[in-house]
Amino acid sequence: MKRKIFSSCLFIIIFSVPYLLTAQTVQDSTRNGAVKVYLDCLTCDMNYTREQIPYVNYVRDVKEAEVFILVTYQPTGSKGMEYTYFFNGAYKFAGLNDTLVYSSGPDETTSVVREKRTNMLKLGLMRYVARTPLADEISIKHSAKLEKEEVKDNWNYWVFELQTSPRYNGEETYKRLMMSNSINISRVTPGMKLEIDLSQSYNRQKYIFDGGLTTTYIRTEKEMQGLYVKSLNNHWSAGLKTDVLAATNPNYDLNVQLMPAIEYDLYPYSEATHRQLRINYAIGGQFCNYIDSTIYNKVRETLYKQELNIAYQVQEKWGSINLSLSGSNYFHDWSKNKLELNSIVRLRIIKGLSLSVNGGVGYINDQLNLRKGNLTEAERLLRLKEQATSFSVNAGFSVTYTFGSIYNNVVNPRFGNGMGMGNMMMGGFDR
C-alpha cells in the first residue's frame, strides 16, 4: 500500500513540474496592464530590445497586438541608413498612430546604431505606455545641456567609399586567387543625386596535374557606373545612366552605354519606405567593341535600345510585396529583346502561420555579344564565358507556423539563439 501511495505521489509530482514551470514562466514574462506590442523588424536585435524596453509585452501574433510597429530602412547619401518607425495603434489605442525617423552616420558602429535605434523605439512607445498603469514606473531624463552649434559640412554632401577584398585559397592540386576593388563617389541632396561606382575584379584559377603540368584560367572585369538624377517634384524625376564595361565573361573589350531616363512614382517619394509604384523609362545608345567575333560576325557595333522598368513595393501589417517587371529591346531588330519578372512576397495568413514566396522568370533573346564558335568543357563548367540561353527561372518559398504562448518577453542568451555550435559562438552578438 505504501509503495502504491509513493508511486502515485511521484507520478503527480513529475507531471506537475512542467505545469508549475510554465505557470512560473508566464508569471515572470508578462506585465499586467502593459502594452501588447508586435515589432515587425528584420534588422532589430530583439534580445537587446527586450532587455532595454521591459515595460511592454512582446507578442508573436499581430492580431493580439495593441500597437503594431513596422520598421523599414533605406540607404542615405552619406552611406548610412535611414530607419523609419511606423506606430499603428489598435483596440484601445485605435487611431493613435505615429511615424519617427532615425538616420545613422556612416562611421557609427553597430553598437551605437543599435542603441540609438532602441532609444527611438522608446520615444515612440511613450505615448502608449503613458496610458497604462506602468506609467508610474517610468522616469524620463535628458543628457547634459549641449551648446548650440552651427554645423558646417566641409565636404558639401560629397561622400567617398573605398573597398578592397583580396582572397586566396589553395590545395595540392588547385589554387585560386581572387581580388576585387571598388570606389564609390556620391553626392545626395533633396534636389539631386549623383553616384559614381568604379569596380575591378580578378579571378585566377590554377589546376596542377601529375607530372607538374598546370592549366590556368583567368577572368577579369572592370566597370564604371554613373547615375545622375534631378528631382522635378514629389512624383517625377529625370536622370542619366551611364555604364562603361570591360569584361572577359560577356566578351566585352569595351562596352559603353548612355541612357537618359525619366521616372514617375504613383505615390509621393516621401512615402518610399512604406510604398512605391515607380515607372522608369530609359532610351539611349550602346557602343560595343568585342574581344572575339560574335555569333553575328561583329567585332564592334553601335546599337540603340530602350528600357522600361516597373517596380511595386509595399509593407503593411499583413506582410510585404516586392514586384519588378523590366523589359528592353534594340531598335535595329525588335526581336532582340528581354523581359524579366521578379517578386518577393511575405504574407501573414492566419494566427501563427506565415508564407514567404520569391521567384523570377526571364525571357532572354538579346545576347548579341555571344562569342562565335563552341565553348570548351572547362569554359562551360567554370562559366568563364557567357553561354547562350533563351530563359532564366528561379523560385523558392518557406512556410512558418508557430503556436503556444502569445508572449515572448524572456531573454535567455545561454548557448546562443539556436541549436549547434555555430549559434553558440554567435549568440549575443550582432550578425
Side-chain angles (χ1 to χ4, degrees), residues 51-117:
E51 288 174 350
Q52 298 298 312
I53 309 178
Y55 40 82
V56 300
N57 282 326
Y58 298 92
V59 298
R60 63 171 183 79
D61 185 4
V62 66
K63 294 180 181 179
E64 303 286 347
E66 295 172 326
V67 179
F68 172 80
I69 305 172
L70 174 65
V71 184
T72 62
Y73 59 94
Q74 60 181 350
T76 64
S78 65
K79 302 305 176 185
M81 280 289 181
E82 180 187 81
Y83 299 94
T84 304
Y85 292 75
F86 299 96
F87 295 81
N88 194 335
Y91 300 108
K92 62 183 179 182
F93 299 121
L96 198 60
N97 306 324
D98 202 358
T99 301
L100 299 178
V101 178
Y102 159 64
S103 296
S104 65
D107 56 347
E108 290 180 337
T109 64
T110 304
S111 178
V112 171
V113 173
R114 181 179 65 176
E115 180 181 353
K116 291 185 177 181
R117 291 182 62 188

Side-chain angles (χ1 to χ4, degrees), residues 239-290:
L240 176 66
K241 298 186 290 184
T242 61
D243 191 355
V244 180
L245 174 66
T248 56
N249 182 283
N251 192 30
Y252 287 128
D253 185 51
L254 180 65
N255 179 62
V256 181
Q257 287 193 70
L258 192 65
M259 303 284 289
I262 191 167
E263 180 178 272
Y264 175 76
D265 192 342
L266 181 65
Y267 305 108
Y269 283 112
S270 56
E271 301 178 11
T273 61
H274 187 53
R275 57 180 181 174
Q276 299 182 52
L277 178 53
R278 295 180 291 105
I279 303 173
N280 186 293
Y281 176 76
I283 183 172
Q286 176 182 359
F287 169 75
C288 308
N289 190 23
Y290 302 108

Side-chain angles (χ1 to χ4, degrees), residues 149-195:
E149 180 181 0
E150 183 178 352
V151 178
K152 182 179 180 181
D153 185 1
N154 294 324
W155 290 95
N156 193 25
Y157 297 106
W158 286 98
V159 178
F160 302 84
E161 184 178 77
L162 310 178
Q163 184 180 51
T164 182
S165 302
R167 183 178 178 183
Y168 174 82
N169 62 291
E171 302 175 5
E172 186 174 351
T173 60
Y174 172 75
K175 302 182 187 302
R176 185 178 187 183
L177 174 65
M178 294 176 290
M179 294 188 65
S180 62
N181 305 287
S182 65
I183 301 174
N184 177 269
I185 304 170
S186 65
R187 187 175 188 267
V188 179
T189 69
M192 75 89 159
K193 176 165 64 174
L194 174 65
E195 294 183 349

Side-chain angles (χ1 to χ4, degrees), residues 121-138:
L121 188 58
K122 290 179 181 179
L123 293 173
L125 285 170
M126 282 302 100
R127 66 187 308 184
Y128 304 100
V129 176
R131 291 168 168 80
T132 69
L134 273 72
D136 295 336
E137 302 178 18
I138 305 297

